[in-house]
Amino acid sequence: MISDVQNINIAEYDYPLPDGRIAKYPLAERDASKLLVLRNNEIHEDHFRNIGKYLPEKSVLVFNETKVVRARLQFVKDSGAAVEVFCLEPITGNGDYQLAFSSESPVEWRCLVGNSRRWKDGNLTMPLKINEKNVTLTAERIEKSDAYSVIRFSWEPADVSFAEVLETAGEIPLPPYLHREAEVSDRERYQTVFAKYEGSVAAPTASLHLTKPLIAKLKEQGHTIEDVTLHVGAGTFRPVATDTIGEHEMHSESIIVRKQCVEHLRDNIERTIIPVGTTSMRTIESVYWIGVMFIEQGFEERNIHVNQWFPYQDRTSLPTAKESLDAILKYLDMHHLNTLHATTALMIAPSCPIMITKAIITNFHQPKSTLLLLVSALIGERWKDAYQFALDHDFRFLSYGDSCLFIPDQPKS
């Protein structure tokens, strides 16, 4: 089974996307975007604010509460050369984003360095003003590899948090395919209205269409909301550059799921569970596989990680979604935990069993991307019909673009 999925040719997930169809800016109103609905083998066009008309009765919507960090720091050397330092993930706090952001000087992060050849030695500095204090931020490169650099950030005076440093000095890291610099308006629009936990370098873009009044209306219609957290990494923008997906290494991302959410998913597993965005789907499907891991490998406390090929291992049978979620609750109870912390490199591709997700709300994704593989795993080849309809009917694509509601003809269970 692993070899079958690894041999998938990424060229089968390509489509023509003219630059003019990529939405460079959001619409003035979040919920005014177009909505493509695929259900009952038919495609409809509407606006996102009317999505409640198309949701199955008493659906469970899963939101990703991650918050985009102003992760891009622009330093200027004495020579005038510009060097960009892009914060990817913390080393400080054992990789815990909240600890890293609340830490005072110094902190260490894995980073991408732009114009790296101009930074051969020495430290970079930047003057700031935080809470009426004059602060000097220093970046020291202490390790360098092909994939990233380890940067130690320090600042004087040291009694402000790294979160305050980024809030003052950092810029929102817009997707590279927008080909523009972040503007002041992006600080609000490239953030969901319910963003809470800092840690992402990209927004869960399907949720950008939601407004607080629309969320309230969906609840009034009988739908419920569950919240998870997946901190989106820069790898989400990386297209598959190899011929087959078996040669593509999935990026790892941090997920956080509260015990109460696991209980609610288990208790409502017969309802239509709809992740809002691929990050939410990746989270809840990773949760299922974590439960399988406990069932197969035992319940000792550990650093929990879902390998990208774990679902494709040969098994005679799989636990039900309820059995898997029960296993997670057993693990949490055994170790007196209220929250599941894990990392996931899960690759959701055709032939991957979809165990919790019954439908998805998402945006239109890049050609040859792992996100297109994820969509195809849920709705099969119908993604081609949906994308062709969107191209033919003037839909806007990618992060600031329009939205889809995909409901498989035969929901997975």
Side-chain angles (χ1 to χ4, degrees), residues 196-235:
K196 187 178 295 185
Y197 302 110
E198 292 180 314
S200 281
V201 299
T205 54
S207 295
L208 295 179
H209 307 286
L210 288 160
T211 65
K212 290 181 178 179
L214 178 55
I215 294 170
K217 182 178 179 181
L218 292 172
K219 290 179 178 178
E220 290 171 3
Q221 293 172 343
H223 308 296
T224 57
I225 308 297
E226 291 298 333
D227 300 312
V228 298
T229 302
L230 180 145
H231 291 313
V232 188

Side-chain angles (χ1 to χ4, degrees), residues 366-383:
Q366 289 178 281
K368 295 186 175 181
S369 66
T370 57
L371 302 182
L372 263 185
L373 293 171
L374 179 150
V375 170
S376 180
L378 184 66
I379 65 170
E381 292 293 292
R382 290 307 310 277
W383 77 266

Side-chain angles (χ1 to χ4, degrees), residues 159-170:
D159 61 345
V160 297
S161 68
F162 191 54
E164 292 174 290
V165 170
L166 288 181
E167 186 69 17
T168 301

